[in-house]
Amino acid sequence: MTNHWIDIKNTDCCLIIGSNAAEHHPVCFKWVMKAKEERNATVIHVDPKFSRTSARADFHVPLRSGTDIAFMGGMINYILTNNKYFKDYVKNYTNASFIVNDNFSFNNGLFTGFNPQTKLYDKKNWQFAVDEKGQIRKDPTLQHPRCVINMLKQHFSRYTIQKVSDITGVSPDNLLKVYEAFTATGKADKAGTVLYALGWTQHTVGVQNIRTSGIVQLLLGNIGVAGGGINALRGEPNVQGSTDHCILYHVLPGYLPLPRANMPTLAEYKKKTTPLTNESTSVNWWQNRPKYIVSYLKGFFGKNATKENDFGYNWLPKGDIPKSERDGDYSYIYIMEKMLKGEIKGGSIWATNPAQSLPNTNKNRKALENLDFLYMAEIHQNETTDFWHAPGVDPKKVKTEMFLFPSCHRAEKEGSISNSGRWVLWHYKAVNPMGDSRSMGQIMIDIMKEVIDLYKEEGGTFKEPLVNLNWYKKYDAELVAKRINGYYTSGPNKGKQVNGFSELADDGSTASMNWLYAGSITDDENRMKRRSLKQTPMQKEIGIYPNFSWCWPMNRRVLYNRASVDINGQPWDPSRAVIRWTGATWEGDVPDGGAPPMAMKGGKSPFIMLKDGLGQLYGTGLVDGPMPEHYEPIETPLRNHGFSGQLNNPCAKLATSEMDKIAAPADPRFPIVLTTYSVTEHWCGGSETRNVPSLLEAEPQLYVEISHELAAEKGIKNGDPVIVESMRGRVEAVAMVTVRITPFRVQGRTVHLIGMPFAFGWTKKGIGDATNRLTVWAGDPNTSIPEYKACCVNIRKADKVTELA
Amino acid sequence: MNYSRRDFLKMAGAGAGALALGGLGINYLVTESYAKKLKIKGAKEVISICPFCSVSCHFIAHVKGGQVVSTEGDPGYPISEGALCAKGATMMSMINSHHRVTKPLYRAPYSDKWEEKSYSWMVETLARRIKDTRDKHFVSTNEAGQKVNRLDAMFHAGSSQMSNEECSIVVQAQRALGIVNFDHQARI
Amino acid sequence: MSKAFFIDTSRCTACRGCQVACKEWQEFPANHTKQLGWGSHQNPPDLNCFNYKVVRFTEFKADKRVFWNFFPDQCRHCLEPPCKVAADAHVKNAVVIDKDTGAIIFTERTRKISKTGFLQMKEYCPYNIPRRNEETGIINKCDMCLERVEAGHVPICVKTCPTGAMNFGERGDMLALAQNRLAAVKKDFPDATLLDEGSVRVIYLITHKRDMYHHNAMNEKPAQDASMA
């Protein structure tokens, strides 16, 4: 989230799209209701299905799953053609005036520089034109035909109401209703927020879905302001923290890129990963990257990290350089490919259930059989721990050696987690771990300690990173937190905690396991434990609690808040001020850096994390295009979509094993769109909540929500058992026939959509098994997040039940 | 007395509340108090956080004799102000669940059952597997001859259920082993 | 003291925090529920001796719009409880009224009421609330979390509710809150109304006409009944 949960109350218009907030973040909905009741805010829900969120929205707009770019592209077109954008904001705080170089073009669904063999673009073609000093060429009058705002205008001019309606299945009236309501926030004294979640990310165009909201929110001047922003409602308990600490192949903690094979030295790493800019008002915060990587290495290897050995840089693994869409991608999609082929021999699965919650489950379950060994930490047995005796599997043929460590519940350990608004919150230990269970931290410490001892005693292949590791004896959350925060390793302050990331250095004099968390626990205070509700009147106005817990970065509660003021530092909306320049200093929230407002001497641009300091209406960072473009999901009921001849995202990541079958476009065998989702009463794959009797009582069996129209066509009645089939698998479910699912009118014909939760698995008898046996291993090219939200299926009445019996 | 509901309603509804229950000969002025004993009275209160969505509602665990006897929302967390959803409301059941794994379990290759093992046996046996696999399959250079120092033959599928501190530990451990096949729920 | 709930269904998101928190506080076991042959989010389908509270779901289409109404159903703690009339005829003071709150309490003594007596109590209740544990014979329903209320806490369902649908306090305050909310909600929902606010301690605000809810959402039409009398 750029903003935070309470801030939703400050909005004038809440666009919930790609999220079912009331069902999946139920408690946050109090702030949506507050905006509605106290500000008279309009709440809009755009989603394929009418849900509990829609029930409390002012209006629900059903949209065919996978057509969000068309929907939002129509809004961008509406803003630009009707001059609905916030002129001062766009002019001063975005790259609207930047001129795109002459090489760039867009032709029939492809941007310049696409290589169909590698499925990669050469992004050099998308760059901005520069002058002789290396500065970006701009046209402040916004007249130049190749300046960003005119490029946008041209690109999205194809997204007419009629065309968007034709492809999304949303009526023209409904499109206009949403566009009018939301774009009314493009004024200084109005704010609109976008709440999204997995409904946007889980598509082969996931990141570009989100980019559309970036463009809309910048055009309307809604970034940085109270009641605005782009708010990813993070899905999991500590997914914000686990992402910040980067349990992800491509980054090290604090979003430092993974070293790659073409970065043989630390110097080369710094050079290749540190952005440079010639824009004089840009803070370009990532220029500090060298300080963060060196401090990380120093924390990682302790005193064994020295200037002479590049702080142990070469003891870290290096990924391959992406030469095609799949090289150098070590994410789930390719982990499962390699596991199925037997290239991966062993490993660990910790508190996650891939045999239930990854797409094309039949394949993943098969892949696990090819491992030599697997170690797991879990609180309950689930479809992954017990895959070796799943229905239809003969344990006597499964070699995989399994080690299952019982892990304890959060209430049985202390530590911190980070909520979606980046608040870092301390939790305490209420009781001892049950039985012989332990914290996952303790289990990992013990296993590694044993491995390190073996290397110390016996030697072995490339033992350096292990024997030089700055490791722990036992799990002490506060000690680890201190290492994460960072401390001085030499000099007069040696042994003292750093107070913030500005104290981190690139010479080895500081260590920090995550620069973003610098300031969370100092010598004075564990700020994550703070519980004070003290606020200034200005903070109270918008619900900022600076003394409750601590928030990264530097306790800043609203990101990009320098964009909430005009170039003189005065709030766009004084009644909803986030920060204000008093003439000498800033008051309110912690500003994005202390520099004076933009119009003053030494003033800086507001988007400090972006290289050029300005919001990117056109961005050169993504792999699949500088502007979003509609493509159909990998499996689609359509043969063409009318925006271009390019049916799917040309850069999409695809699994290619024999088990990864994909239906042809408009395959008559699979004419129905399936979308999948969570359910309020269960948690994701469900292995914890299915084992809580009162939650299983509330949602007891796998169901499929279908429209009355489709039910009538197929002769299915409410409560009937049905079979849902895709190219990859077949699933039993109970039909829930409902007015909440509506058939879509697309290209003049009816397209049906059905929806299923994925929380039900075979380890609980009679409740059904993985919905993901139907879904497809196709991923967004930027993130590799799979397309859970749209694939093609068929449905029929079942003669008998086995999985539901 | 043999009223049907409809009869009763007719009587009760006759005239503006004319017929009070007292009129039916019932003494409803009861003087007793019927409250049960409050089970959380005297319990130690410990703050923890619901392990589900990232609203991160805080809850109070009421602890007696080392056992969680009740859980409810923490009104001091300004986001939830004491509220919980259905999932968050079940923290006590979740913590005390009899279904939890409480012993280290081992399944030998081709076996059809789990066996209980001691924690130290698990750690020692597993450490040996990890070392053997790493020693055998470690990759110093890639196909292009570039130095990569990594372990392609192992993977880690991680969790957003861990605290920040645990995440930091797991990342450090897995990267020290040389693992790049490394992912978790943020990508699904 | 005289307590009341105000349940504002216009704010309810059916997160079912109340339903589950109630079970958790009462430490009730789960019922075996199924979707086969049922096909609804409303689970368990009805109140039972282990569910003092069930969120009821009603969906319909009107004027091309979909509506989905949620109704966290529970005992209304009537000012003049018909269940007590029925119960007293069988076992005196099996059902009592708490002096401090006005809560209607089904005591242990309900165990002595015969099955016929129980059916009579159920029949008398305009809201179809009382349930009997067939194993123990005890008749039960919401007890207003009396022990919590006496200790200065609100009932667990109210404590748990995220959106302000569940409210609890002095009856006068709840009535005032209900009227305020009704006035506000009427702007969006002209058919909004309070249910039986003059005769119960659990006052519901609904957004649609009463026939858009389950059969026992409100008392049978009192005006009509009165004219019949």
Side-chain angles (χ1 to χ4, degrees), chain A residues 30 234 237 242 247 249 320 332 338 345 348 400-401 404 412 416 436 446 455 458 461 531 680, chain B residues 52 54 74 81 87 100 102 105-107 119 128-129 134-135 142 153 156 164-165 181 183-184:
Chain A
K30 68 190 294 178
R234 302 302 307 265
S242 59
I247 305 181
Y249 79 86
D320 279 339
Y332 266 132
K338 288 179 271 190
K345 306 293 177 191
S348 41
T400 315
E401 188 180 28
L404 174 57
E412 297 166 340
S416 72
D436 209 3
D446 291 338
Y455 274 93
E458 303 172 2
T461 307
R531 305 251 312 157
T680 308
Chain B
F52 297 120
S54 57
D74 168 17
E81 297 177 312
K87 292 184 294 293
R100 282 178 54 177
T102 56
L105 296 176
Y106 171 76
R107 184 249 177 195
Y119 181 75
R128 176 58 67 191
R129 296 288 181 278
R134 188 176 179 278
D135 282 350
N142 65 7
H156 176 80
N164 290 320
E165 295 72 26
N181 295 309
D183 214 340
H184 89 298

Side-chain angles (χ1 to χ4, degrees), chain C:
Chain C
M1 289 206 300
S2 172
K3 299 289 188 190
F5 294 76
F6 167 53
I7 303 184
D8 182 348
T9 69
S10 79
R11 281 175 166 166
C12 179
T13 61
C15 75
R16 296 197 270 198
C18 57
Q19 174 180 321
V20 172
C22 173
K23 273 191 97 99
E24 188 87 351
W25 177 259
Q26 301 286 355
E27 297 177 33
F28 281 146
N31 299 280
H32 181 69
T33 52
K34 284 208 271 195
Q35 289 292 10
L36 271 177
W38 173 238
S40 165
H41 290 291
Q42 186 179 309
N43 291 297
D46 199 0
L47 296 167
N48 59 75
C49 67
F50 300 133
N51 284 81
Y52 287 172
K53 191 141 197 165
V54 164
V55 178
R56 297 184 186 276
F57 294 70
T58 319
E59 62 183 42
F60 55 94
K61 234 174 178 168
D63 304 330
K64 290 187 182 169
R65 268 190 79 174
V66 177
F67 292 95
W68 203 9
N69 287 338
F70 312 126
F71 193 99
D73 197 11
Q74 64 166 84
C75 169
R76 310 298 197 277
H77 294 280
C78 296
L79 299 183
E80 296 172 352
C83 59
K84 181 169 167 57
V85 176
D88 276 357
H90 294 270
V91 178
K92 198 81 182 156
N93 285 341
V95 173
V96 297
I97 307 174
D98 180 70
K99 72 177 166 68
D100 293 332
T101 58
I104 310 304
I105 303 297
F106 286 10
T107 69
E108 277 276 311
R109 289 189 286 272
T110 55
R111 195 196 294 267
K112 295 186 189 132
I113 296 176
S114 65
K115 189 152 187 181
T116 321
F118 159 66
L119 290 173
Q120 218 162 44
M121 284 171 73
K122 208 162 173 258
E123 174 67 12
Y124 269 45
C125 173
Y127 309 103
N128 188 21
I129 298 295
R131 293 293 185 274
R132 185 166 185 257
N133 182 330
E134 294 302 332
E135 270 175 39
T136 63
I138 287 179
I139 303 167
N140 66 8
K141 53 118 205 136
C142 166
D143 61 4
M144 206 189 261
C145 285
L146 205 53
E147 72 278 26
R148 291 179 60 91
V149 174
E150 295 226 329
H153 307 291
V154 294
I156 197 73
C157 56
V158 177
K159 170 77 186 284
T160 305
C161 177
T163 53
M166 297 294 307
N167 302 274
F168 184 80
E170 292 302 313
R171 191 174 136 77
D173 296 343
M174 289 300 108
L175 275 168
L177 179 61
Q179 294 296 352
N180 278 342
R181 280 296 298 159
L182 179 64
V185 169
K186 266 188 176 292
K187 285 175 203 145
D188 287 332
F189 299 98
D191 292 334
T193 181
L194 302 178
L195 295 182
D196 306 335
E197 71 276 18
S199 59
V200 294
R201 291 183 189 280
V202 180
I203 302 154
Y204 284 85
L205 186 161
I206 56 170
T207 50
H208 290 76
K209 292 205 172 81
R210 55 159 291 181
D211 55 3
M212 296 303 187
Y213 297 84
H214 65 288
H215 179 66
N216 294 109
M218 72 184 294
N219 204 331
E220 290 179 44
K221 299 163 191 138
Q224 198 186 340
D225 284 346
S227 64
M228 282 163 64

Side-chain angles (χ1 to χ4, degrees), chain A residues 560-761:
Chain A
Y560 305 119
N561 53 28
R562 291 175 71 102
S564 70
V565 294
D566 63 20
I567 54 171
N568 295 307
Q570 296 312 302
W572 296 118
D573 181 358
S575 75
R576 204 166 9 188
V578 183
I579 57 170
R580 179 187 287 120
W581 181 251
T582 62
T585 182
W586 293 98
E587 61 176 358
D589 192 13
V590 177
D592 263 335
M598 214 166 149
M600 297 182 188
K601 190 164 180 277
K604 293 291 178 192
S605 308
F607 291 91
I608 64 169
M609 299 311 289
L610 300 178
K611 186 165 70 101
D612 301 319
L614 296 172
Q616 302 181 52
L617 294 171
Y618 171 106
T620 56
L622 299 184
V623 305
D624 51 351
M627 293 178 285
E629 172 67 4
H630 172 72
Y631 304 111
E632 285 291 308
I634 287 299
E635 277 192 341
T636 165
L638 309 189
R639 274 198 186 81
N640 57 66
H641 54 64
F643 285 93
S644 74
Q646 182 64 40
L647 186 64
N648 312 118
N649 188 338
C651 306
K653 307 224 179 198
L654 297 176
T656 53
S657 81
E658 277 183 11
M659 295 183 81
D660 289 293
K661 298 186 186 81
I662 293 175
D667 186 327
R669 293 171 300 166
F670 304 104
I672 299 166
V673 177
L674 168 72
T675 192
T676 67
Y677 35 75
S678 286
V679 49
T680 308
E681 295 76 7
H682 289 294
W683 187 248
C684 291
S687 59
E688 283 156 283
T689 46
R690 280 183 249 142
N691 292 306
V692 174
S694 55
L695 294 175
L696 190 64
E697 176 192 72
E699 284 295 355
Q701 282 183 312
L702 179 58
Y703 56 86
V704 49
E705 293 180 296
I706 69 173
S707 68
H708 286 275
E709 293 83 350
L710 179 61
E713 266 180 39
K714 299 278 182 183
I716 295 166
K717 286 192 205 60
N718 191 48
D720 278 352
V722 295
I723 303 284
V724 183
E725 281 172 296
S726 77
M727 281 291 276
R728 295 155 296 277
R730 134 200 314 219
V731 173
E732 263 178 36
V734 181
M736 199 182 273
V737 181
T738 173
V739 294
R740 295 177 292 100
I741 301 265
T742 335
F744 292 95
R745 198 78 194 150
V746 178
Q747 294 179 334
R749 67 185 177 97
T750 298
V751 172
H752 288 292
L753 176 143
I754 63 176
M756 295 172 80
F758 65 100
F760 300 94

Side-chain angles (χ1 to χ4, degrees), chain A residues 493-547:
Chain A
N493 292 321
K494 186 178 173 180
K496 287 200 169 130
Q497 294 288 102
V498 299
N499 296 299
F501 46 65
S502 61
E503 294 177 29
L504 297 176
D506 65 357
D507 61 359
S509 62
T510 57
S512 166
M513 294 302 278
N514 193 334
W515 70 277
L516 282 173
Y517 284 69
S520 59
I521 176 167
T522 63
D523 285 323
D524 300 332
E525 191 182 23
N526 181 344
R527 292 176 178 156
M528 300 171 277
K529 290 183 175 175
R530 297 186 305 175
R531 305 251 312 157
S532 167
L533 302 180
K534 217 174 122 200
Q535 306 162 292
T536 64
M538 187 174 163
Q539 292 161 345
K540 189 173 180 190
E541 199 62 48
I542 58 166
I544 285 180
Y545 290 94
N547 299 299

